[in-house]
Amino acid sequence: MEAFTTHTGRAVPLRRSNVDTDQIIPAHWLKKVTRDGFEDGLFEAWRKDASFVLNQPERQGATVLVAGPDFGTGSSREHAVWALQNYGFKAVISSRFADIFRGNSLKNGLLTVVLEQKIVDALMELAEKDPQAEITVDLVAREVRAEGVTASFELDENSRWRLLNGLDDISITLQNEADIAAYEAKRPVFKPQTIQI
Amino acid sequence: MGRTLAEKVWDDHVVRRAEGEPDLLFIDLHLLHEVTSPQAFDGLRKSGRKVRRLDLTIATEDHNTPTLDIDKPIADPVSRIQLETLRKNAADFGVRLHPLGDVEQGVVHVVGPQLGLTQPGTTVVCGDSHTSTHGAFGALAFGIGTSQVEHVLATQTLPMSRPKTMAITVNGELPDGVTAKDLILAIIAKIGTGGGQGYVLEYRGEAIEKLSMESRMTICNMSIEAGARAGMIAPDETTFAYLQGRPHAPEGADWDAAVEYWKTLRTDEDAEFDAEVVIDATELAPFVTWGTNPGQGAPLSASVPDPASYEDASERFAAEKALEYMGLEAGQPLRSIKVDTVFVGSCTNGRIEDLRAAAEIVKDRKVADGVRMLVVPGSARVGLQAVSEGLDVVFKDAGAEWRHAGCSMCLGMNPDQLAPGERSASTSNRNFEGRQGKGGRTHLVSPQVAAATAVLGHLASPADLSAADTRTPAGV
């Protein structure tokens, strides 16, 4: 995973709640067997509308998405995270994220930042008013900074440590191989098996 | 202090616990399908890792599979590549796979329970959010992303932060004609699509205890639509009776030992939930959605709500957008909404009881002119059972299309899709914009409402059919 320390970029204000994963990346894109090449599928249906915020020339190259509450609801497709990253987003700010989407984002180095709705509203207004306004998402200081806004955010220490160092989860877990083997040795015999080994 | 069902199952699976770290949980059963696994197997190859526990892993093909002409090569080349990729990965790594055409193939969440692999007190994961279905057995079951799929393949564990617990207590009995689907849609409308975020839900109370296993699966299946990764129901005699004799259920002394353990999987009297919601089952009625998220629903007897009636600005805006997308007017009676397509199937309502319920309603009746009704069994086995009961004939006689098993129109990854502007009554789980096909409009309903809607051509319940006297006497 790519490490995330701090990022500064222009923002895209997406004033919608309940942005579900079918909107972020429609199902027909899920037939791909790679982790890249999803950028054109991001918000595919909405992008057909010329006035959609992502189509505005002044939003090109923006890297921070500011969205309404309950972002990423619905399916477990990690493709939603890959699509946002392939497009160029480094961070998403919302007052509430769906659990699975959030987990997926943090495992890929896309920082999802939870802020109070009134702060999200302030960032949304700033981004709508001034497309050139920059937002800094600082994971080291656990802080979001923009013109007129300084807000700290929560992220559990373990996730933060993994993100700051770009650590591979599987390697970390395998350091506890002995614990896994010990657990396996004492599992009840009545537990189901898919094949006999 | 006592513990909840979820806490008991969680505690029994902790491999490692350390201050300031998520718990490392052991995973008893890992289900795979073609869509969310290719990148995970790629990751294993790149790092030279193997599948740690092939005996706890099983794969099937469901999302992309066609429901017609399954003996012919798959027409869509991209779908074909994805299915071939799963077949290659399963062969290379030694994973048990039930491909298209196999008698055990089907929607992954129908296959696990019917094989008896889903058992009380187990942890079940799959790269699919409707893994919550398996919680109906008192399993802790949740959807995961592809990075986690790779993690489970490599380690058979997942680092997870302990969730909070929420009791959804459903008192009283469901009135006649009100199903598990109506109940879960009403629960989601009450707590909202984010209401369960961060929680494991435990459904309990008289109405839940009286439900069959298949109805319990319908309830737990849609936990994710309330934002909860997992939903659970304490195992009881209904659960044990369902499991006994299934291919992977324990036998003999193992069965006795298992049942003894399973009986301990109940929330203790003195346990405390972090939140509780109480529902009165006796007040419920057939329930349908009118909007573009599963929380935007109302009783069938109601009308499309006026967005202006919402106090919360964001909900008001969401309702406005939903009505615009759905092509509906505020105040329009839900029963007046005409549909083009009816879909019966999916991991929510594609099991044999669902097909029986729909068949009973369309028997000796006809699907309305201009309406297409698609019946897609949740698994090949469900399809065979339905055929042995003659349900396929009932559906075909009524003018419905009888198909092979798969996810089908629930998410339209195969050719079964809505055309732009087309409207469906669907027994599936998501009414998101474009979910069933670009520009398609979805109303989520029970199998009974789906069948009645197919006959009358507009959203309707079976009670409306008796009033309209639509049944043709046999032989006429």
Side-chain angles (χ1 to χ4, degrees):
Chain A
M1 177 173 78
E2 208 176 307
F4 189 108
T5 49
T6 182
H7 174 78
T8 300
R10 287 181 288 116
V12 173
L14 183 61
R15 208 177 259 284
R16 290 189 72 140
S17 60
N18 264 299
V19 175
D20 60 71
T21 50
D22 277 81
Q23 306 319 314
I24 301 173
I25 186 84
H28 70 98
W29 282 88
L30 273 50
K31 297 177 186 181
K32 289 170 65 68
V33 295
T34 58
R35 283 174 180 254
D36 48 27
F38 292 97
E39 57 276 12
D40 291 340
L42 180 71
F43 300 123
E44 186 182 48
W46 293 345
R47 275 162 79 184
K48 293 214 160 59
D49 173 358
S51 67
F52 181 60
V53 63
L54 232 51
N55 291 330
Q56 296 163 2
E58 65 272 26
R59 301 295 169 185
Q60 303 313 306
T63 52
V64 178
L65 185 65
V66 183
D70 295 316
F71 188 86
T73 57
S75 111
S76 65
R77 59 188 72 164
E78 201 158 308
H79 314 66
V81 171
W82 302 333
L84 286 160
Q85 289 184 310
N86 292 168
Y87 186 85
F89 285 108
K90 303 288 183 197
V92 185
I93 297 172
S94 172
S95 64
R96 219 157 54 162
F97 290 95
D99 288 343
I100 304 180
F101 175 82
R102 182 118 208 265
N104 288 342
S105 70
L106 299 178
K107 294 205 179 306
N108 284 276
L110 175 74
L111 187 58
T112 39
V113 180
V114 178
L115 292 173
E116 269 180 73
Q117 189 59 49
K118 63 174 192 211
I119 298 168
V120 177
D121 288 342
L123 292 170
M124 191 91 76
E125 278 159 30
L126 173 69
E128 282 173 345
K129 199 178 64 196
D130 178 9
Q132 297 307 314
E134 291 193 326
I135 295 180
T136 295
V137 180
D138 183 344
L139 183 58
V140 182
R142 261 189 274 223
E143 204 171 68
V144 170
R145 294 183 296 272
E147 192 194 328
V149 177
T150 301
S152 58
F153 63 89
E154 297 283 319
L155 184 69
D156 70 272
E157 196 44 55
N158 192 264
S159 299
R160 178 170 170 264
W161 167 68
R162 289 172 191 231
L163 278 164
L164 286 173
N165 296 289
L167 298 175
D168 169 27
D169 270 5
I170 297 176
S171 302
I172 297 171
T173 295
L174 287 175
Q175 289 169 18
N176 303 308
E177 156 66 31
D179 293 323
I180 302 173
Y183 182 92
E184 287 175 322
K186 66 176 177 61
R187 288 178 77 231
V189 291
F190 58 74
K191 291 274 187 175
Q193 287 184 303
T194 57
I195 51 172
Q196 297 298 323
I197 290 182
Chain B
M1 198 180 73
R3 293 179 299 160
T4 63
L5 165 61
E7 289 162 345
K8 288 182 182 184
V9 179
W10 184 281
D11 289 346
D12 283 350
H13 290 84
V14 175
V15 167
R16 182 173 185 275
R17 179 171 284 167
E19 185 62 29
E21 291 180 29
D23 285 349
L24 190 62
L25 279 196
F26 193 81
I27 303 303
D28 288 318
L29 180 64
H30 188 190
L31 306 161
L32 296 164
H33 61 85
E34 75 274 17
V35 177
T36 54
S37 64
Q39 298 86 351
F41 281 110
D42 263 359
L44 289 187
R45 276 198 191 89
K46 277 185 195 140
S47 47
R49 291 176 177 134
K50 296 188 299 186
V51 177
R52 183 182 179 94
R53 293 296 300 265
L54 289 166
D55 60 334
L56 306 182
T57 309
I58 188 169
T60 188
E61 301 173 354
D62 55 7
H63 284 66
N64 272 277
T65 52
T67 56
L68 285 173
D69 300 327
I70 64 168
D71 50 343
K72 300 196 175 72
I74 293 165
D76 178 349
V78 195
S79 286
R80 191 167 67 229
I81 289 170
Q82 193 163 59
L83 290 165
E84 283 167 357
T85 303
L86 178 63
R87 289 169 199 178
K88 180 174 190 319
N89 286 332
D92 287 358
F93 287 87
V95 173
R96 172 176 166 185
L97 168 69
H98 295 293
L100 185 63
D102 185 279
V103 71
E104 301 297 352
Q105 176 268 343
V107 182
V108 66
H109 309 308
V110 179
V111 169
Q114 81 186 8
L115 282 171
L117 284 167
T118 304
Q119 294 179 13
T122 56
T123 45
V124 182
V125 299
C126 175
D128 189 282
S129 61
H130 293 110
T131 309
S132 58
T133 310
H134 307 263
F137 291 80
L140 182 65
F142 45 87
I144 58 178
T146 297
S147 295
Q148 290 174 305
V149 170
E150 183 181 343
H151 196 284
V152 176
L153 287 171
T155 71
Q156 204 58 35
T157 64
L158 272 182
M160 297 284 292
S161 298
R162 202 181 169 95
K164 294 179 285 182
T165 59
M166 181 188 291
I168 309 258
T169 305
V170 189
N171 292 322
E173 274 188 68
L174 289 173
D176 279 349
V178 180
T179 68
K181 183 63 164 287
D182 303 311
L183 170 57
I184 188 63
L185 286 174
I187 290 171
I188 299 164
K190 184 179 171 96
I191 72 174
T193 54
Q197 257 168 42
Y199 292 95
V200 172
L201 310 182
E202 183 183 332
Y203 304 96
R204 56 215 309 260
E206 185 186 357
I208 300 294
E209 287 162 20
K210 291 206 164 136
L211 293 176
S212 68
M213 275 320 296
E214 298 198 350
S215 288
R216 291 180 190 184
M217 286 188 246
T218 300
I219 299 278
C220 289
N221 172 273
M222 291 190 72
S223 301
I224 184 68
E225 312 317 334
R229 261 196 171 189
M232 300 176 86
I233 294 173
D236 59 11
E237 294 301 327
T238 303
T239 322
F240 310 152
Y242 177 96
L243 275 167
Q244 195 159 25
R246 292 200 176 257
H248 290 275
E251 293 175 341
D254 283 347
W255 171 263
D256 296 338
V259 171
E260 194 183 331
Y261 169 61
W262 296 345
K263 285 183 172 168
T264 67
L265 299 173
R266 305 194 73 80
T267 293
D268 295 325
E269 292 284 340
D270 57 342
E272 279 179 24
F273 289 93
D274 297 300
E276 178 152 18
V277 172
V278 178
I279 308 262
D280 181 355
T282 63
E283 288 181 352
L284 295 176
F287 212 87
V288 301
T289 63
W290 49 264
T292 53
N293 73 56
Q296 290 175 323
L300 178 62
S301 56
S303 296
V304 175
D306 184 349
S309 66
Y310 289 92
E311 279 180 25
D312 180 84
S314 135
E315 275 188 53
R316 186 164 58 240
F317 183 69
E320 280 167 9
K321 281 276 181 200
L323 294 200
E324 188 186 328
Y325 181 84
M326 294 295 288
L328 297 173
E329 299 286 335
Q332 178 180 359
L334 291 169
R335 274 196 169 85
S336 73
I337 298 172
K338 291 192 165 69
V339 305
D340 308 291
T341 293
V342 170
F343 171 61
V344 175
S346 85
C347 58
T348 312
N349 281 123
R351 286 169 290 266
I352 191 67
E353 284 178 15
D354 302 311
L355 301 194
R356 284 178 190 144
E360 191 186 313
I361 290 155
V362 300
K363 188 174 166 58
D364 299 328
R365 294 192 169 107
K366 293 286 179 204
V367 172
D369 285 345
V371 174
R372 164 174 69 146
M373 182 182 191
L374 227 65
V375 184
V376 182
S379 70
R381 285 259 182 229
V382 169
L384 287 174
Q385 178 64 31
V387 168
S388 77
E389 296 178 21
L391 305 185
D392 59 325
V393 176
V394 171
F395 286 121
K396 284 187 265 192
D397 283 353
E401 296 177 41
W402 171 254
R403 298 291 188 88
H404 287 285
C407 298
S408 179
M409 196 180 270
C410 174
L411 82 169
M413 278 191 78
N414 76 350
D416 308 337
Q417 297 181 19
L418 294 181
E422 241 188 301
R423 186 183 298 281
S424 79
S426 175
T427 66
S428 56
N429 40 55
R430 290 192 175 132
N431 50 350
F432 297 155
E433 289 181 21
R435 168 83 175 179
Q436 296 191 289
K438 267 182 212 167
R441 296 160 167 169
T442 304
H443 297 273
L444 300 177
V445 300
S446 71
Q448 287 82 342
V449 167
T453 298
V455 172
L456 290 175
H458 59 83
L459 292 180
S461 74
D464 301 324
L465 288 174
S466 337
D469 190 26
T470 48
R471 189 157 262 167
T472 316
V476 174

